[in-house]
Structure formats: structure tokens, C-alpha cells
Amino acid sequence: MSSSSLWRVAVDAPLPEALTYSSSLPLQRGLLVDVPLGKRTVKGLVLGPTNEVPEFEIKNVIDIDPEYPVLPEPFMKWLEWLAQYYLHPIGQVAASAYPPLKKTEKTRASKRAPVIPQLESDSALDLTPEQKQSFEDINRHQDFSTHLLFGVTGSGKTEVYLRLLDEVLKRGQRGLVLVPEISLTPQLIQRFARRFGDKIAALHSQLTDRERTNQWWDVVEGKKSILIGARSALFCPVPDLGIIIVDEEHEPSFKQDEKLKYNGRDAAVVMGKMMNCPVVLGSATPSLETWKNAKEGKYHLHTLKSRVANRSLPEIEVIDLRKLKSDDDEKKKIIEKYSHLPFWLSPDLYERMVEVLDKGDQAALFLNRRGVAQMVVCPSCGHTTECPNCDISLTLHGHSHLVCHYCDYHENFKTKCPDCKEGTIEAVGLGTELIERDLARLFPEKRIARADRDEIQSRADLEDLIADMENGSIDILVGTQMIAKGLDFPKLKLVGLVLADVGFNLPDFRATERSFQLITQMSGRSGRHVKEGESPGKVIIQTYNTEHESITFAKNHDFVGFANQELDIRGQLHYPPVGRLVSFRIQGTQLRNVEETASLLARRAQALKQQFPAYSSVEILGPAEAPLAKLRGQFRYHLLLKTTQVSVANPFSRQLLGNQDWVPSGVRILIDIDPMSL
Ligand code: ADP
Ligand code: ZN
């Protein structure tokens, strides 16, 4: 037997570093092993040999797990990058790289539909000149390079992906396609299945553990050559990876907001770098992060300017909700005529609905908030209140004061509007359920469906809804952003955004960007199949603030104009992607402890900044109550760091979190690098 040697092993436990074990087994980096930890036996990923003899007693590796393959080196490097960049225990990162069940475990046979539907095949379409150009430009690359495929909704981005994948398969390589969970609708999977048949595997949250495990092995053993999945599909080590595609790359749902708080889009780019293959990011409304990289030449930019087959983009009309309260006589007559309409429905949107529905077409109404949306607005002039420090909307607490969730600025809630001095500022509350109820009264003979997280809870619910929209047994669809993405309904000719303001008044520095994306995506559902010469789909945006950038640019289908202006604003305020943001959430069951820990953390951050001149660019915001101030019995505060010096965010955060002896028991500090929401 060979003499034993020392190995660093990333064990599945909340430990900041890997542990050292001894072993006489033939170990190598990338192997999964069983190791003792306290009195338990846990799984551990072997990181490599070491010479450093730890101070404490060294235990022996128990055994090599016989089931799993050695993880490939580029994949190992990627796991290490995740742990390092997101400041997350390496062992817990590594644990994500394995399927939930053992390969051989048998569970009861299920009668569920197959993960990938069996369909007749369909063949490649003739690419439009724009598609061809993008396809060829991307296909020329076989090494690591990042590509932004920026194409308006309905411009045929998916067809470009399919062709690129086809080429990758012809070279004997494999492909990984990431999509936001929400767009893993049957429609998208069907399209891939029709083209690639049984070469496709899928991984997403609606699968059973058995299905996930089987799909994982099919990919790892090379039985399937294209893996399509939500962000977690990145953790499946696809052999011979030839391309990574991230569709709807701007989607916030690529960010995981618990445990390892990684961004699937960013992690995909790093994986492409490690695997040395091209990465394609596709969107009609790229994230500002990606747009900035494309502008600066770090990413290759490929543009699809028009919809396929000369189908026109929808016409967007903006309705000013303020005018509904006007005093002039003509307006009064109109108001009288439409007095039966609920406050959220303008005569214009109502008339359009009647028109579309009379023709037998469909309408969709959209409110970009689940549950009841609250916003504080002057109905006469549209004035809303913003934090003087942070440029984000203030949130009403109780009935008497407004709070900034970034820096903790407070002010009294004034009912008299400070802008127009006429209106009475009020809190407007509106929800999808109320809209549905009002519509049932206004259109008693029409079939109305609601799509929000209360109504659509499973994949089957969504499949039913899609089938009902496709076969025309729904006339009016009311929904949240659940219905904004990826869906393609030929008879949908009118999209109404009931209250666009809800989106841009969220307490989030990305609120304007999100609104622009949602307005564009939602508009993109309208009139997708209108032929050349037919009248285009219609979009009606109702708002108290017709001049808001997210509306004016979206109305003109002007992403570039929007992005460039918004990048300027971000730069002035040092927000991403110009600056870097890190959030520390302090949570616990005792409010006093949480508050004290939060202010102590802020003081420690200030001290750290004073101590090292390298950290002079770090700005410390808060601590402030988190927007969700209490969740599942836990009080939540947060502290934000902003810096224009990208490279200091990570070391500063690491140092700040280094020693946590001072944190009282029962309080936890959770870090989020590049947070998407707070
Ligand atoms: P995007 O992903 O950019 O929103 P899609 O790929 O869904 O666009 O394409 C929109 C529609 O156009 C789909 O119905 C698709 O089948 C069709 N399509 C795409 N490319 C072509 C083409 N080259 N010729 C004809 N139809 C196409
Ligand atoms: Zn503020």
C-alpha cells in the first residue's frame, strides 16, 4: 500500500474553506469521496494534494464514491471561481454539481408525460439575411468569445440558436441552452424537441428528483447532446461543450437569491471562458451590464433589427391617466359616458378591447406586480416621491411616513402635492384579482382567465392556460409578468399595461430598466403573426407619467437610446454596471439584535475604509430596513456597498465578513455580490 498523503477536500458543510484529510487511496482532483466530519460521514470533492499540515488531528478519507465521474478540470475551475467570487463555501458550491438521487435508486414508476415531448420533426427555416449574417458571424468562432444577439421580439433569435446548435452537433460537440425558468414553457421545449428530437435533455424545477437525476446522467454520459434548462443546468458538467446560449439574458430570474447567490448569465460567461467555447447572450432588451460590455467591445454585437417576414412591430399608444380627472366640458361628457368604468380602465383601452374582442381576437391586460400593487402618486400631475440621495422611490410605511430602502432617509407623507400644489397625493392599490372581477362585470359574455402566481402554480396549470389561449377558449387574459415572456399567441392583438407606474416606482435602482424591459416584452406579445399589409398589433400603456424614459423610449422601440441614457444616469450615481454593488443582509428573530448588528457592521465598514487608502472609493449606504422588513419570523436590515472601482468590492467584502466573532448568536449576515433585488 502506498504511504498516505494529504488532500484538500471541499466538504458539504457551511465551512469557509476546504479541509485537509489524509488518504492512501488513489485520489485525484475532481473525485467525490466520503469523509468523516465530526461524528458524521459527508460527501466531499477532492480539490488537490497539499503539503500544509494542519494544526488539528488529521482524519482519513473513508472511501471514493464509486458512482460519479471525475469532474473535468475546466468545470473544477468554474466551481472554484463561483466560491471565490460570490464568497460562498466551496463545499456547498461543489455539492450543487451532483444530481439529487443516486443513479441506481429506483422510485415508483411515474405516469407523467416524458420530460421531452415526442414530436414529429421539423426542418430548418431559410434564414432571413439578418439572421444569416448573425449566424455566420457567431459560427465563425469556436474559442471563447461572448456574443450579444440583440434582436427585437419576433426577429427569429431562436432560429439562430437552433442553427448554431446544429453546427456544434455536426462538429461532434455539445450545447447548453439556459433560459429563465418562466420561459421554459412547453412552447419553447417543443420547438427544440421538434428540431433535435431525442438529442435533447432538460433540467428545471418542475421535474421530479428521479427525472432530474436521469436527465443529468443522460447528459454526463453523452446520451443527449443538448441540455436546455434553467440556471441550475450550469451545474451539470456537459462533456465537450461547444456553445453556451443564454436566452433572455436580461432576466432577473437568472440570479439565484438564496444560498449561493450567483447570476446564471455571468456564471455562463465564466464557464465559456473555462471551457473555451463561445457564449451567446440573446435578448430584445439586453441588460445594461451586457450592453455596456458590447459597447466597449468586450462582447461581439449582432443585431436583428426587424421581425421576420416583414411582420410589423406593434403600435404603442400611451394613455395619460391624469387627464381622466380633467375639468373641461368635453372631458366631462366623456367622463359621464364612461362613468361605469372602473378607475383603472381608460375609455381608450376599453374601446380598443371592445373592438378587438368583437373581431374574435384576444386581449391581454398586464399589471407588473403580483398581489395588490401600492404606489404613492398625485393623480393630478403624476408626482411621485423619490429619495434625494438615492434616486429611488420612497415607500409608504403606515399612513404617515415615507422611507428610502437604500439609505434609510425618512420624510413625512404629505397629502398636498408639492409639485402642482393642487392634487391630493394618494396611495393607489390595484391587483390582478380586482381587474379580473371588474372585467367579468364589463364583459359578462367573454371568457376571462387570470395568470399570476396565485392561479398558476404548476407546469400543468401553465400548459392548460397556453392550450386555452391557443385554441381560443380564452378571450381576455389578465396577468402579471408571468405572461410577459416568450409566449406566442397568434390571435393576441391587444396588450394593455394597466398601470405602468407600478413598475418604475419600485424601490430599486433598476426599476426604470425593468420597466422598459417589461413594456417591450409585453408589447412583443401583441400581433406577433400579423402579416405584411395587415394592421399591426396594438399596445396601450396607461400611466400617470407619460414622459417617463421607460415609456418614451419603449414607445419608439428605441432600446439603444434608452440604454445609453440610462447608462449615463447609472454612472452619475455610481450604480451598476458602471459601479459595483454588494448587499449585506442582517437577519434574526430579535429586532434589537438585528439593528445593533447592522449599525456595528456599518461602523466596521467605515473603519475598514478609513484604514486602507485602497478602499477610499467605497461608499457605504445604510443600514436600512430591507424592503421586506420581516420575513418568516426574521427581521431584516441591509447595508449596501457601492464602488466605482470594480476590483475592490470583493476584497473589501471578504475582509468585512472575515471575523464574525462579534456577531451575536441568532443573527446572521448574508452577502449578495451584484444583487438583483434587495
Ligand atoms: P424571437 O426569439 O426573436 O422572439 P422567434 O425565434 O420566436 O423570435 O421567431 C418568431 C417567429 O418567426 C416564430 O414563429 C418563428 O417560427 C418564425 N421564424 C423565425 N425565423 C424565421 C425564418 N427565417 N423564416 C420564417 N419564419 C421564421
Ligand atoms: Zn436613499
Side-chain angles (χ1 to χ4, degrees):
M1 228 161 79
S2 66
S3 66
S4 79
S5 49
L6 297 180
W7 294 86
R8 283 177 59 240
V9 179
V11 296
D12 185 5
L15 304 166
E17 300 293 336
L19 299 180
T20 299
Y21 289 89
S22 64
S23 179
S24 51
L25 298 164
L27 297 189
Q28 74 177 97
R29 176 170 158 86
L31 262 181
L32 191 67
V33 290
D34 290 321
V35 291
L37 183 71
K39 293 196 173 108
R40 297 181 299 145
T41 299
V42 295
K43 294 287 175 198
L45 175 65
V46 177
L47 297 183
T50 178
N51 296 323
E52 270 174 54
V53 182
E55 289 160 17
F56 46 85
E57 181 202 358
I58 301 176
K59 293 183 176 169
N60 278 317
V61 169
I62 298 169
D63 213 343
I64 298 173
D65 188 298
E67 198 168 87
Y68 297 102
V70 174
L71 295 180
E73 182 55 28
F75 192 77
M76 290 293 291
K77 286 220 176 77
W78 180 75
L79 293 175
E80 286 169 333
W81 175 83
L82 285 173
Q84 199 276 333
Y85 185 84
Y86 291 108
L87 303 181
H88 199 76
I90 176 72
Q92 291 185 331
V93 174
S96 314
Y98 296 93
L101 300 179
K102 288 186 95 59
K103 187 180 185 183
T104 48
E105 270 170 33
K106 290 276 186 288
T107 51
R108 262 176 296 140
S110 76
K111 289 213 181 67
R112 286 161 57 96
V115 173
I116 304 296
Q118 316 291 308
L119 301 161
E120 290 150 2
S121 67
D122 95 24
S123 49
L125 302 167
D126 285 334
L127 296 181
T128 64
E130 278 190 334
Q131 283 173 318
K132 189 158 179 283
Q133 180 81 46
S134 297
F135 161 72
E136 285 173 356
D137 288 348
I138 299 171
N139 194 45
R140 210 169 287 139
H141 298 263
Q142 294 184 22
D143 292 332
F144 172 60
S145 46
T146 309
H147 304 265
L148 168 58
L149 182 59
F150 166 44
V152 298
T153 55
S155 60
K157 294 184 288 296
T158 312
E159 189 62 31
V160 175
Y161 305 150
L162 294 171
R163 291 293 276 273
L164 288 167
L165 287 164
D166 208 28
E167 295 298 317
V168 165
L169 299 199
K170 280 190 202 148
R171 293 199 290 266
Q173 292 184 301
R174 303 194 165 78
L176 172 60
V177 182
L178 296 186
V179 295
E181 186 75 48
I182 205 162
S183 33
L184 268 171
T185 58
Q187 283 187 320
L188 186 82
I189 294 200
Q190 277 171 18
R191 242 171 115 183
F192 277 77
R194 270 199 297 272
R195 192 66 61 85
F196 295 110
D198 60 5
K199 296 193 185 86
I200 301 274
L203 280 174
H204 52 77
S205 66
Q206 298 288 327
L207 301 182
T208 63
D209 282 354
R210 182 74 260 157
E211 287 169 333
R212 287 184 74 80
T213 307
N214 291 349
Q215 295 288 306
W216 192 92
W217 279 105
D218 280 354
V219 173
V220 169
E221 290 181 336
K223 290 181 191 149
K224 306 282 180 183
S225 37
I226 295 173
L227 173 60
I228 170 165
R231 57 172 188 251
S232 62
L234 277 168
F235 285 88
C236 177
V238 182
D240 299 317
L241 198 54
I243 195 165
I244 305 173
I245 292 165
V246 183
D247 190 27
E248 310 280 7
E249 66 83 27
H250 62 277
E251 267 295 308
S253 66
F254 278 119
K255 174 85 182 190
Q256 174 153 300
D257 54 16
E258 48 166 38
K259 295 182 184 146
L260 171 63
K261 297 187 174 78
Y262 70 103
N263 184 314
R265 187 246 349 266
D266 298 343
V269 173
V270 175
M271 169 148 331
K273 187 171 168 198
M274 303 299 184
M275 302 276 178
N276 192 28
C277 72
V279 180
V280 179
L281 310 178
S283 179
T285 52
S287 63
L288 289 184
E289 282 76 3
T290 296
W291 183 249
K292 181 168 179 282
N293 282 326
K295 262 183 81 162
E296 291 172 358
K298 292 188 189 134
Y299 294 177
H300 302 257
L301 175 63
H302 314 270
T303 308
L304 304 175
K305 290 203 176 73
S306 43
R307 282 187 163 179
V308 293
N310 293 319
R311 294 171 187 167
S312 43
L313 283 166
E315 270 172 26
I316 303 182
E317 197 180 327
V318 180
I319 301 299
D320 191 343
L321 290 176
R322 290 169 298 192
K323 296 223 174 96
L324 296 181
K325 303 218 167 177
S326 170
D327 287 338
D328 73 60
D329 280 352
E330 203 171 324
K331 284 278 153 52
K332 270 189 184 150
K333 261 187 235 150
I334 296 176
I335 290 171
E336 217 153 279
K337 176 174 173 205
Y338 290 100
S339 62
H340 64 299
L341 296 184
F343 79 95
W344 57 265
L345 184 56
S346 64
D348 305 73
L349 179 53
Y350 172 73
E351 288 297 346
R352 280 288 178 192
M353 288 180 75
V354 171
E355 204 173 287
V356 163
L357 295 170
D358 278 354
K359 281 194 197 142
D361 286 329
Q362 294 166 323
L365 297 192
F366 171 79
L367 184 73
N368 48 357
R369 184 74 184 263
R370 154 173 97 106
V372 175
Q374 280 280 359
M375 51 171 283
V376 181
V377 64
C378 168
S380 302
C381 75
H383 172 85
T384 57
T385 36
E386 286 191 343
C387 173
N389 311 321
C390 304
D391 195 34
I392 67 157
S393 289
L394 299 177
T395 306
L396 184 62
H397 273 214
H399 296 288
S400 59
H401 64 288
L402 295 160
V403 181
C404 170
H405 278 301
Y406 278 26
C407 73
D408 209 28
Y409 168 86
H410 280 60
E411 71 175 43
N412 286 334
F413 175 45
K414 307 173 202 71
T415 46
K416 183 125 183 144
C417 177
D419 239 13
C420 70
K421 315 241 173 351
E422 274 172 28
T424 307
I425 296 194
E426 48 192 68
V428 178
L430 187 58
T432 42
E433 232 183 296
L434 177 80
I435 294 176
E436 187 191 22
R437 237 181 296 143
D438 287 342
L439 288 175
R441 179 171 58 78
L442 285 169
F443 299 97
E445 73 291 4
K446 297 295 178 197
R447 292 152 305 177
I448 301 165
R450 177 157 60 90
D452 54 28
R453 258 192 276 173
D454 298 325
E455 279 293 298
I456 306 288
Q457 292 182 341
S458 69
R459 190 168 181 75
D461 291 344
L462 187 59
E463 281 173 24
D464 289 348
L465 179 86
I466 290 169
D468 287 346
M469 280 297 283
E470 280 173 346
N471 68 29
S473 50
I474 295 174
D475 300 306
I476 310 173
L477 180 61
V478 180
T480 56
Q481 58 210 54
M482 182 176 268
I483 58 169
K485 321 283 159 63
L487 299 176
D488 193 2
F489 302 122
K491 285 174 89 66
L492 183 59
K493 297 287 174 59
L494 172 68
V495 163
L497 281 85
V498 176
L499 187 56
D501 314 47
V502 173
F504 43 75
N505 287 324
L506 294 176
D508 182 342
F509 76 90
R510 286 194 180 85
T512 304
E513 180 184 8
R514 286 269 170 284
S515 285
F516 178 88
Q517 290 165 349
L518 274 172
I519 292 170
T520 306
Q521 297 289 343
M522 199 60 220
S523 308
R525 300 310 110 211
S526 183
R528 287 172 73 83
H529 292 253
V530 170
K531 300 207 180 56
E532 206 176 349
E534 288 179 4
S535 59
K538 261 277 171 194
V539 178
I540 292 195
I541 302 175
Q542 300 192 131
T543 178
Y544 286 103
N545 190 344
T546 52
E547 298 309 311
H548 195 270
E549 304 92 298
S550 68
I551 292 181
T552 51
F553 284 107
K555 180 172 160 40
N556 296 324
H557 306 287
D558 183 10
F559 169 80
V560 176
F562 171 77
N564 291 340
Q565 175 173 324
E566 184 67 13
L567 270 180
D568 270 356
I569 296 171
R570 297 282 178 88
Q572 286 161 25
L573 296 159
H574 303 171
Y575 282 128
V578 181
R580 287 289 295 282
L581 198 66
V582 179
S583 128
F584 295 88
R585 192 166 73 222
I586 304 100
Q587 65 179 47
T589 51
Q590 304 293 324
L591 180 57
R592 270 274 307 278
N593 281 352
V594 171
E595 280 172 345
E596 277 172 18
T597 309
S599 4
L600 260 174
L601 186 68
R603 254 178 279 153
R604 294 176 81 96
Q606 295 290 2
L608 194 58
K609 177 181 154 144
Q610 303 304 329
Q611 196 183 344
F612 298 95
Y615 293 151
S616 60
S617 73
V618 175
E619 298 165 55
I620 298 153
L621 302 184
E625 231 177 35
L628 275 170
K630 193 177 180 194
L631 189 68
R632 294 185 212 107
Q634 302 261 322
F635 293 95
R636 295 147 53 102
Y637 266 67
H638 61 206
L639 183 73
L640 299 178
L641 300 185
K642 241 179 4 176
T643 168
T644 45
Q645 233 186 318
V646 171
S647 60
V648 305
N650 193 291
F652 185 93
S653 306
R654 189 178 294 278
Q655 234 175 316
L656 184 59
L657 278 187
N659 168 3
Q660 293 190 26
D661 294 352
W662 58 275
V663 179
S665 71
V667 177
R668 290 216 300 153
I669 302 177
L670 302 164
I671 186 167
D672 190 346
I673 307 267
D674 308 332
M676 275 305 221
S677 58
L678 300 172

